[in-house]
Amino acid sequence: MQQTRRPRPFRPPAGETSTRPTALPALVAGSLAAALLLTGCMGQERVCGSGRYPVKAVGNTDGQDCVADGQEPPEGYVRYPAGMVPEHVGDKWDRHWGTIVVDAEGRPTQP
């Protein structure tokens, strides 16, 4: 039976430090950074999915729903004003409208 020899571990010459490249950690870190950049809004959940838009509930601060594009909001909901529509959970307009109560016309009222 023939024995196979195992490769010996790399050892630098006496007095020298290792010159063996250690690219794997750098490659992993670079890949992770690229993935985070490519995903854009990492951790930001959209208020509504594709083909839907958000609507505000009348009479309270936290009511919100999503309606299919091309459809009117159901009774008890109004559209957000143009340019003030929340897109991501926790964005500027999502936080703003979470403190506002609106009437059936979409006008802010006292809570």
PDB file of all heavy atoms in Angstrom, residues 45-81:
ATOM      1  N   GLU A  45     -38.156  49.422   4.985  1.00  0.00           N
ATOM      2  CA  GLU A  45     -39.303  48.726   4.411  1.00  0.00           C
ATOM      3  C   GLU A  45     -40.218  49.736   3.732  1.00  0.00           C
ATOM      4  O   GLU A  45     -40.506  50.795   4.274  1.00  0.00           O
ATOM      5  CB  GLU A  45     -40.054  48.019   5.541  1.00  0.00           C
ATOM      6  CG  GLU A  45     -41.276  47.288   5.109  1.00  0.00           C
ATOM      7  CD  GLU A  45     -42.016  46.673   6.288  1.00  0.00           C
ATOM      8  OE1 GLU A  45     -41.504  46.701   7.414  1.00  0.00           O
ATOM      9  OE2 GLU A  45     -43.118  46.185   6.058  1.00  0.00           O
ATOM     10  N   ARG A  46     -40.678  49.402   2.533  1.00  0.00           N
ATOM     11  CA  ARG A  46     -41.595  50.283   1.813  1.00  0.00           C
ATOM     12  C   ARG A  46     -42.954  50.279   2.514  1.00  0.00           C
ATOM     13  O   ARG A  46     -43.390  49.267   3.020  1.00  0.00           O
ATOM     14  CB  ARG A  46     -41.742  49.840   0.367  1.00  0.00           C
ATOM     15  CG  ARG A  46     -40.435  50.049  -0.426  1.00  0.00           C
ATOM     16  CD  ARG A  46     -40.608  49.894  -1.909  1.00  0.00           C
ATOM     17  NE  ARG A  46     -41.578  50.788  -2.499  1.00  0.00           N
ATOM     18  CZ  ARG A  46     -41.351  52.072  -2.821  1.00  0.00           C
ATOM     19  NH1 ARG A  46     -40.189  52.602  -2.580  1.00  0.00           N
ATOM     20  NH2 ARG A  46     -42.282  52.798  -3.389  1.00  0.00           N
ATOM     21  N   VAL A  47     -43.616  51.431   2.513  1.00  0.00           N
ATOM     22  CA  VAL A  47     -44.938  51.554   3.124  1.00  0.00           C
ATOM     23  C   VAL A  47     -45.927  50.661   2.373  1.00  0.00           C
ATOM     24  O   VAL A  47     -46.726  49.952   2.981  1.00  0.00           O
ATOM     25  CB  VAL A  47     -45.404  53.026   3.142  1.00  0.00           C
ATOM     26  CG1 VAL A  47     -46.857  53.133   3.565  1.00  0.00           C
ATOM     27  CG2 VAL A  47     -44.517  53.848   4.061  1.00  0.00           C
ATOM     28  N   CYS A  48     -45.884  50.679   1.049  1.00  0.00           N
ATOM     29  CA  CYS A  48     -46.773  49.851   0.223  1.00  0.00           C
ATOM     30  C   CYS A  48     -45.941  49.119  -0.826  1.00  0.00           C
ATOM     31  O   CYS A  48     -44.905  49.617  -1.262  1.00  0.00           O
ATOM     32  CB  CYS A  48     -47.815  50.710  -0.487  1.00  0.00           C
ATOM     33  SG  CYS A  48     -48.988  51.490   0.636  1.00  0.00           S
ATOM     34  N   GLY A  49     -46.426  47.994  -1.243  1.00  0.00           N
ATOM     35  CA  GLY A  49     -45.750  47.228  -2.275  1.00  0.00           C
ATOM     36  C   GLY A  49     -45.961  47.836  -3.657  1.00  0.00           C
ATOM     37  O   GLY A  49     -46.689  48.816  -3.831  1.00  0.00           O
ATOM     38  N   SER A  50     -45.348  47.214  -4.621  1.00  0.00           N
ATOM     39  CA  SER A  50     -45.431  47.679  -6.008  1.00  0.00           C
ATOM     40  C   SER A  50     -46.881  47.667  -6.485  1.00  0.00           C
ATOM     41  O   SER A  50     -47.642  46.744  -6.203  1.00  0.00           O
ATOM     42  CB  SER A  50     -44.590  46.750  -6.884  1.00  0.00           C
ATOM     43  OG  SER A  50     -44.650  47.149  -8.218  1.00  0.00           O
ATOM     44  N   GLY A  51     -47.258  48.725  -7.196  1.00  0.00           N
ATOM     45  CA  GLY A  51     -48.613  48.808  -7.741  1.00  0.00           C
ATOM     46  C   GLY A  51     -49.648  49.280  -6.742  1.00  0.00           C
ATOM     47  O   GLY A  51     -50.849  49.191  -6.983  1.00  0.00           O
ATOM     48  N   ARG A  52     -49.187  49.776  -5.597  1.00  0.00           N
ATOM     49  CA  ARG A  52     -50.096  50.252  -4.552  1.00  0.00           C
ATOM     50  C   ARG A  52     -49.594  51.580  -4.023  1.00  0.00           C
ATOM     51  O   ARG A  52     -48.416  51.882  -4.106  1.00  0.00           O
ATOM     52  CB  ARG A  52     -50.196  49.235  -3.424  1.00  0.00           C
ATOM     53  CG  ARG A  52     -50.683  47.866  -3.947  1.00  0.00           C
ATOM     54  CD  ARG A  52     -50.744  46.806  -2.871  1.00  0.00           C
ATOM     55  NE  ARG A  52     -51.736  47.046  -1.848  1.00  0.00           N
ATOM     56  CZ  ARG A  52     -53.036  46.836  -1.973  1.00  0.00           C
ATOM     57  NH1 ARG A  52     -53.518  46.392  -3.107  1.00  0.00           N
ATOM     58  NH2 ARG A  52     -53.863  47.062  -0.981  1.00  0.00           N
ATOM     59  N   TYR A  53     -50.496  52.393  -3.462  1.00  0.00           N
ATOM     60  CA  TYR A  53     -50.100  53.664  -2.862  1.00  0.00           C
ATOM     61  C   TYR A  53     -50.729  53.776  -1.467  1.00  0.00           C
ATOM     62  O   TYR A  53     -51.774  53.195  -1.191  1.00  0.00           O
ATOM     63  CB  TYR A  53     -50.501  54.846  -3.761  1.00  0.00           C
ATOM     64  CG  TYR A  53     -51.981  55.107  -3.870  1.00  0.00           C
ATOM     65  CD1 TYR A  53     -52.601  56.027  -3.031  1.00  0.00           C
ATOM     66  CD2 TYR A  53     -52.768  54.438  -4.802  1.00  0.00           C
ATOM     67  CE1 TYR A  53     -53.958  56.278  -3.122  1.00  0.00           C
ATOM     68  CE2 TYR A  53     -54.121  54.679  -4.906  1.00  0.00           C
ATOM     69  CZ  TYR A  53     -54.717  55.607  -4.065  1.00  0.00           C
ATOM     70  OH  TYR A  53     -56.060  55.847  -4.153  1.00  0.00           O
ATOM     71  N   PRO A  54     -50.057  54.533  -0.557  1.00  0.00           N
ATOM     72  CA  PRO A  54     -50.573  54.652   0.808  1.00  0.00           C
ATOM     73  C   PRO A  54     -51.689  55.682   0.918  1.00  0.00           C
ATOM     74  O   PRO A  54     -51.711  56.673   0.189  1.00  0.00           O
ATOM     75  CB  PRO A  54     -49.345  55.093   1.610  1.00  0.00           C
ATOM     76  CG  PRO A  54     -48.489  55.815   0.626  1.00  0.00           C
ATOM     77  CD  PRO A  54     -48.744  55.157  -0.703  1.00  0.00           C
ATOM     78  N   VAL A  55     -52.618  55.434   1.829  1.00  0.00           N
ATOM     79  CA  VAL A  55     -53.698  56.365   2.141  1.00  0.00           C
ATOM     80  C   VAL A  55     -53.766  56.529   3.655  1.00  0.00           C
ATOM     81  O   VAL A  55     -53.402  55.629   4.406  1.00  0.00           O
ATOM     82  CB  VAL A  55     -55.066  55.888   1.578  1.00  0.00           C
ATOM     83  CG1 VAL A  55     -55.080  55.961   0.063  1.00  0.00           C
ATOM     84  CG2 VAL A  55     -55.407  54.484   2.042  1.00  0.00           C
ATOM     85  N   LYS A  56     -54.244  57.704   4.084  1.00  0.00           N
ATOM     86  CA  LYS A  56     -54.318  58.054   5.508  1.00  0.00           C
ATOM     87  C   LYS A  56     -55.730  57.854   6.020  1.00  0.00           C
ATOM     88  O   LYS A  56     -56.699  58.244   5.369  1.00  0.00           O
ATOM     89  CB  LYS A  56     -53.896  59.521   5.659  1.00  0.00           C
ATOM     90  CG  LYS A  56     -54.078  60.119   7.025  1.00  0.00           C
ATOM     91  CD  LYS A  56     -52.874  59.859   7.870  1.00  0.00           C
ATOM     92  CE  LYS A  56     -52.973  60.639   9.190  1.00  0.00           C
ATOM     93  NZ  LYS A  56     -52.675  59.797  10.309  1.00  0.00           N
ATOM     94  N   ALA A  57     -55.847  57.267   7.210  1.00  0.00           N
ATOM     95  CA  ALA A  57     -57.157  57.098   7.836  1.00  0.00           C
ATOM     96  C   ALA A  57     -57.643  58.419   8.400  1.00  0.00           C
ATOM     97  O   ALA A  57     -56.869  59.214   8.920  1.00  0.00           O
ATOM     98  CB  ALA A  57     -57.081  56.055   8.947  1.00  0.00           C
ATOM     99  N   VAL A  58     -58.932  58.657   8.286  1.00  0.00           N
ATOM    100  CA  VAL A  58     -59.567  59.864   8.807  1.00  0.00           C
ATOM    101  C   VAL A  58     -59.812  59.677  10.304  1.00  0.00           C
ATOM    102  O   VAL A  58     -60.241  58.611  10.730  1.00  0.00           O
ATOM    103  CB  VAL A  58     -60.906  60.123   8.075  1.00  0.00           C
ATOM    104  CG1 VAL A  58     -61.684  61.255   8.720  1.00  0.00           C
ATOM    105  CG2 VAL A  58     -60.654  60.389   6.599  1.00  0.00           C
ATOM    106  N   GLY A  59     -59.495  60.718  11.085  1.00  0.00           N
ATOM    107  CA  GLY A  59     -59.878  60.723  12.497  1.00  0.00           C
ATOM    108  C   GLY A  59     -58.888  60.127  13.479  1.00  0.00           C
ATOM    109  O   GLY A  59     -59.187  60.063  14.670  1.00  0.00           O
ATOM    110  N   ASN A  60     -57.724  59.683  13.054  1.00  0.00           N
ATOM    111  CA  ASN A  60     -56.737  59.187  14.016  1.00  0.00           C
ATOM    112  C   ASN A  60     -55.321  59.399  13.473  1.00  0.00           C
ATOM    113  O   ASN A  60     -55.141  59.725  12.304  1.00  0.00           O
ATOM    114  CB  ASN A  60     -56.994  57.716  14.379  1.00  0.00           C
ATOM    115  CG  ASN A  60     -56.810  56.781  13.218  1.00  0.00           C
ATOM    116  OD1 ASN A  60     -55.727  56.676  12.660  1.00  0.00           O
ATOM    117  ND2 ASN A  60     -57.876  56.087  12.837  1.00  0.00           N
ATOM    118  N   THR A  61     -54.342  59.201  14.327  1.00  0.00           N
ATOM    119  CA  THR A  61     -52.962  59.466  13.913  1.00  0.00           C
ATOM    120  C   THR A  61     -52.266  58.270  13.290  1.00  0.00           C
ATOM    121  O   THR A  61     -51.324  58.447  12.530  1.00  0.00           O
ATOM    122  CB  THR A  61     -52.102  59.920  15.116  1.00  0.00           C
ATOM    123  OG1 THR A  61     -52.141  58.908  16.127  1.00  0.00           O
ATOM    124  CG2 THR A  61     -52.585  61.243  15.664  1.00  0.00           C
ATOM    125  N   ASP A  62     -52.696  57.077  13.613  1.00  0.00           N
ATOM    126  CA  ASP A  62     -51.914  55.916  13.172  1.00  0.00           C
ATOM    127  C   ASP A  62     -52.570  55.052  12.104  1.00  0.00           C
ATOM    128  O   ASP A  62     -52.011  54.047  11.700  1.00  0.00           O
ATOM    129  CB  ASP A  62     -51.534  55.049  14.364  1.00  0.00           C
ATOM    130  CG  ASP A  62     -52.744  54.552  15.138  1.00  0.00           C
ATOM    131  OD1 ASP A  62     -53.866  54.953  14.819  1.00  0.00           O
ATOM    132  OD2 ASP A  62     -52.552  53.763  16.079  1.00  0.00           O
ATOM    133  N   GLY A  63     -53.736  55.435  11.620  1.00  0.00           N
ATOM    134  CA  GLY A  63     -54.389  54.627  10.593  1.00  0.00           C
ATOM    135  C   GLY A  63     -53.816  54.874   9.219  1.00  0.00           C
ATOM    136  O   GLY A  63     -53.652  56.007   8.783  1.00  0.00           O
ATOM    137  N   GLN A  64     -53.480  53.788   8.540  1.00  0.00           N
ATOM    138  CA  GLN A  64     -52.916  53.879   7.195  1.00  0.00           C
ATOM    139  C   GLN A  64     -53.215  52.571   6.479  1.00  0.00           C
ATOM    140  O   GLN A  64     -53.303  51.528   7.094  1.00  0.00           O
ATOM    141  CB  GLN A  64     -51.402  54.092   7.308  1.00  0.00           C
ATOM    142  CG  GLN A  64     -50.689  54.220   5.983  1.00  0.00           C
ATOM    143  CD  GLN A  64     -49.256  54.648   6.191  1.00  0.00           C
ATOM    144  OE1 GLN A  64     -49.011  55.771   6.594  1.00  0.00           O
ATOM    145  NE2 GLN A  64     -48.325  53.764   5.931  1.00  0.00           N
ATOM    146  N   ASP A  65     -53.385  52.642   5.180  1.00  0.00           N
ATOM    147  CA  ASP A  65     -53.631  51.448   4.391  1.00  0.00           C
ATOM    148  C   ASP A  65     -52.999  51.649   3.021  1.00  0.00           C
ATOM    149  O   ASP A  65     -52.478  52.721   2.723  1.00  0.00           O
ATOM    150  CB  ASP A  65     -55.136  51.197   4.254  1.00  0.00           C
ATOM    151  CG  ASP A  65     -55.463  49.745   3.912  1.00  0.00           C
ATOM    152  OD1 ASP A  65     -54.528  48.938   3.717  1.00  0.00           O
ATOM    153  OD2 ASP A  65     -56.657  49.429   3.823  1.00  0.00           O
ATOM    154  N   CYS A  66     -53.052  50.619   2.199  1.00  0.00           N
ATOM    155  CA  CYS A  66     -52.531  50.699   0.836  1.00  0.00           C
ATOM    156  C   CYS A  66     -53.653  50.364  -0.138  1.00  0.00           C
ATOM    157  O   CYS A  66     -54.457  49.466   0.119  1.00  0.00           O
ATOM    158  CB  CYS A  66     -51.375  49.719   0.647  1.00  0.00           C
ATOM    159  SG  CYS A  66     -49.936  50.127   1.662  1.00  0.00           S
ATOM    160  N   VAL A  67     -53.705  51.096  -1.236  1.00  0.00           N
ATOM    161  CA  VAL A  67     -54.754  50.933  -2.240  1.00  0.00           C
ATOM    162  C   VAL A  67     -54.092  50.684  -3.589  1.00  0.00           C
ATOM    163  O   VAL A  67     -53.035  51.251  -3.886  1.00  0.00           O
ATOM    164  CB  VAL A  67     -55.629  52.207  -2.304  1.00  0.00           C
ATOM    165  CG1 VAL A  67     -56.677  52.110  -3.387  1.00  0.00           C
ATOM    166  CG2 VAL A  67     -56.267  52.482  -0.947  1.00  0.00           C
ATOM    167  N   ALA A  68     -54.711  49.845  -4.407  1.00  0.00           N
ATOM    168  CA  ALA A  68     -54.171  49.556  -5.741  1.00  0.00           C
ATOM    169  C   ALA A  68     -54.145  50.819  -6.584  1.00  0.00           C
ATOM    170  O   ALA A  68     -55.072  51.641  -6.529  1.00  0.00           O
ATOM    171  CB  ALA A  68     -55.005  48.480  -6.423  1.00  0.00           C
ATOM    172  N   ASP A  69     -53.060  50.993  -7.330  1.00  0.00           N
ATOM    173  CA  ASP A  69     -52.963  52.139  -8.242  1.00  0.00           C
ATOM    174  C   ASP A  69     -54.200  52.174  -9.135  1.00  0.00           C
ATOM    175  O   ASP A  69     -54.687  51.136  -9.588  1.00  0.00           O
ATOM    176  CB  ASP A  69     -51.705  52.026  -9.114  1.00  0.00           C
ATOM    177  CG  ASP A  69     -50.429  52.243  -8.327  1.00  0.00           C
ATOM    178  OD1 ASP A  69     -50.486  52.753  -7.191  1.00  0.00           O
ATOM    179  OD2 ASP A  69     -49.354  51.895  -8.863  1.00  0.00           O
ATOM    180  N   GLY A  70     -54.725  53.377  -9.375  1.00  0.00           N
ATOM    181  CA  GLY A  70     -55.889  53.536 -10.226  1.00  0.00           C
ATOM    182  C   GLY A  70     -57.207  53.453  -9.486  1.00  0.00           C
ATOM    183  O   GLY A  70     -58.254  53.747 -10.062  1.00  0.00           O
ATOM    184  N   GLN A  71     -57.187  53.043  -8.230  1.00  0.00           N
ATOM    185  CA  GLN A  71     -58.418  52.981  -7.438  1.00  0.00           C
ATOM    186  C   GLN A  71     -58.463  54.146  -6.459  1.00  0.00           C
ATOM    187  O   GLN A  71     -57.436  54.641  -6.017  1.00  0.00           O
ATOM    188  CB  GLN A  71     -58.492  51.663  -6.659  1.00  0.00           C
ATOM    189  CG  GLN A  71     -58.692  50.458  -7.533  1.00  0.00           C
ATOM    190  CD  GLN A  71     -58.890  49.200  -6.703  1.00  0.00           C
ATOM    191  OE1 GLN A  71     -58.875  49.229  -5.475  1.00  0.00           O
ATOM    192  NE2 GLN A  71     -59.074  48.085  -7.386  1.00  0.00           N
ATOM    193  N   GLU A  72     -59.665  54.563  -6.110  1.00  0.00           N
ATOM    194  CA  GLU A  72     -59.852  55.617  -5.119  1.00  0.00           C
ATOM    195  C   GLU A  72     -59.739  55.017  -3.715  1.00  0.00           C
ATOM    196  O   GLU A  72     -60.024  53.833  -3.525  1.00  0.00           O
ATOM    197  CB  GLU A  72     -61.229  56.276  -5.296  1.00  0.00           C
ATOM    198  CG  GLU A  72     -61.342  57.127  -6.549  1.00  0.00           C
ATOM    199  CD  GLU A  72     -60.349  58.279  -6.546  1.00  0.00           C
ATOM    200  OE1 GLU A  72     -60.219  58.978  -5.510  1.00  0.00           O
ATOM    201  OE2 GLU A  72     -59.690  58.485  -7.579  1.00  0.00           O
ATOM    202  N   PRO A  73     -59.370  55.834  -2.730  1.00  0.00           N
ATOM    203  CA  PRO A  73     -59.314  55.329  -1.355  1.00  0.00           C
ATOM    204  C   PRO A  73     -60.696  54.892  -0.878  1.00  0.00           C
ATOM    205  O   PRO A  73     -61.706  55.484  -1.264  1.00  0.00           O
ATOM    206  CB  PRO A  73     -58.836  56.536  -0.545  1.00  0.00           C
ATOM    207  CG  PRO A  73     -58.225  57.470  -1.531  1.00  0.00           C
ATOM    208  CD  PRO A  73     -58.924  57.219  -2.824  1.00  0.00           C
ATOM    209  N   PRO A  74     -60.768  53.867  -0.036  1.00  0.00           N
ATOM    210  CA  PRO A  74     -62.067  53.447   0.501  1.00  0.00           C
ATOM    211  C   PRO A  74     -62.597  54.499   1.482  1.00  0.00           C
ATOM    212  O   PRO A  74     -61.871  55.400   1.909  1.00  0.00           O
ATOM    213  CB  PRO A  74     -61.748  52.137   1.223  1.00  0.00           C
ATOM    214  CG  PRO A  74     -60.292  52.184   1.515  1.00  0.00           C
ATOM    215  CD  PRO A  74     -59.671  53.026   0.451  1.00  0.00           C
ATOM    216  N   GLU A  75     -63.866  54.384   1.829  1.00  0.00           N
ATOM    217  CA  GLU A  75     -64.472  55.313   2.769  1.00  0.00           C
ATOM    218  C   GLU A  75     -63.694  55.292   4.078  1.00  0.00           C
ATOM    219  O   GLU A  75     -63.298  54.238   4.576  1.00  0.00           O
ATOM    220  CB  GLU A  75     -65.926  54.909   3.031  1.00  0.00           C
ATOM    221  CG  GLU A  75     -66.670  55.937   3.849  1.00  0.00           C
ATOM    222  CD  GLU A  75     -68.145  55.599   3.981  1.00  0.00           C
ATOM    223  OE1 GLU A  75     -68.684  54.922   3.099  1.00  0.00           O
ATOM    224  OE2 GLU A  75     -68.723  56.037   4.983  1.00  0.00           O
ATOM    225  N   GLY A  76     -63.464  56.489   4.628  1.00  0.00           N
ATOM    226  CA  GLY A  76     -62.716  56.603   5.879  1.00  0.00           C
ATOM    227  C   GLY A  76     -61.222  56.821   5.670  1.00  0.00           C
ATOM    228  O   GLY A  76     -60.468  56.911   6.632  1.00  0.00           O
ATOM    229  N   TYR A  77     -60.787  56.912   4.412  1.00  0.00           N
ATOM    230  CA  TYR A  77     -59.374  57.140   4.072  1.00  0.00           C
ATOM    231  C   TYR A  77     -59.287  58.257   3.049  1.00  0.00           C
ATOM    232  O   TYR A  77     -60.195  58.462   2.256  1.00  0.00           O
ATOM    233  CB  TYR A  77     -58.735  55.877   3.487  1.00  0.00           C
ATOM    234  CG  TYR A  77     -58.538  54.783   4.499  1.00  0.00           C
ATOM    235  CD1 TYR A  77     -59.549  53.866   4.757  1.00  0.00           C
ATOM    236  CD2 TYR A  77     -57.350  54.665   5.199  1.00  0.00           C
ATOM    237  CE1 TYR A  77     -59.382  52.859   5.688  1.00  0.00           C
ATOM    238  CE2 TYR A  77     -57.172  53.663   6.133  1.00  0.00           C
ATOM    239  CZ  TYR A  77     -58.183  52.760   6.375  1.00  0.00           C
ATOM    240  OH  TYR A  77     -58.014  51.768   7.294  1.00  0.00           O
ATOM    241  N   VAL A  78     -58.165  58.977   3.058  1.00  0.00           N
ATOM    242  CA  VAL A  78     -57.905  60.040   2.088  1.00  0.00           C
ATOM    243  C   VAL A  78     -56.486  59.885   1.550  1.00  0.00           C
ATOM    244  O   VAL A  78     -55.635  59.258   2.177  1.00  0.00           O
ATOM    245  CB  VAL A  78     -58.071  61.449   2.718  1.00  0.00           C
ATOM    246  CG1 VAL A  78     -59.511  61.703   3.110  1.00  0.00           C
ATOM    247  CG2 VAL A  78     -57.137  61.643   3.899  1.00  0.00           C
ATOM    248  N   ARG A  79     -56.269  60.476   0.364  1.00  0.00           N
ATOM    249  CA  ARG A  79     -54.921  60.490  -0.207  1.00  0.00           C
ATOM    250  C   ARG A  79     -54.054  61.483   0.563  1.00  0.00           C
ATOM    251  O   ARG A  79     -54.543  62.467   1.091  1.00  0.00           O
ATOM    252  CB  ARG A  79     -54.963  60.935  -1.669  1.00  0.00           C
ATOM    253  CG  ARG A  79     -55.605  59.945  -2.603  1.00  0.00           C
ATOM    254  CD  ARG A  79     -55.605  60.535  -4.024  1.00  0.00           C
ATOM    255  NE  ARG A  79     -56.289  59.681  -4.946  1.00  0.00           N
ATOM    256  CZ  ARG A  79     -55.692  58.781  -5.726  1.00  0.00           C
ATOM    257  NH1 ARG A  79     -54.396  58.650  -5.691  1.00  0.00           N
ATOM    258  NH2 ARG A  79     -56.402  58.037  -6.549  1.00  0.00           N
ATOM    259  N   TYR A  80     -52.761  61.202   0.582  1.00  0.00           N
ATOM    260  CA  TYR A  80     -51.814  62.170   1.127  1.00  0.00           C
ATOM    261  C   TYR A  80     -51.642  63.285   0.101  1.00  0.00           C
ATOM    262  O   TYR A  80     -51.764  63.059  -1.106  1.00  0.00           O
ATOM    263  CB  TYR A  80     -50.455  61.510   1.382  1.00  0.00           C
ATOM    264  CG  TYR A  80     -50.464  60.543   2.537  1.00  0.00           C
ATOM    265  CD1 TYR A  80     -50.552  59.168   2.321  1.00  0.00           C
ATOM    266  CD2 TYR A  80     -50.348  60.998   3.843  1.00  0.00           C
ATOM    267  CE1 TYR A  80     -50.531  58.279   3.380  1.00  0.00           C
ATOM    268  CE2 TYR A  80     -50.335  60.104   4.915  1.00  0.00           C
ATOM    269  CZ  TYR A  80     -50.427  58.753   4.675  1.00  0.00           C
ATOM    270  OH  TYR A  80     -50.406  57.878   5.723  1.00  0.00           O
ATOM    271  N   PRO A  81     -51.331  64.495   0.556  1.00  0.00           N
ATOM    272  CA  PRO A  81     -51.073  65.584  -0.404  1.00  0.00           C
ATOM    273  C   PRO A  81     -49.853  65.253  -1.280  1.00  0.00           C
ATOM    274  O   PRO A  81     -48.907  64.620  -0.821  1.00  0.00           O
ATOM    275  CB  PRO A  81     -50.774  66.787   0.496  1.00  0.00           C
ATOM    276  CG  PRO A  81     -51.334  66.444   1.838  1.00  0.00           C
ATOM    277  CD  PRO A  81     -51.263  64.952   1.943  1.00  0.00           C
TER     278      PRO A  81
END
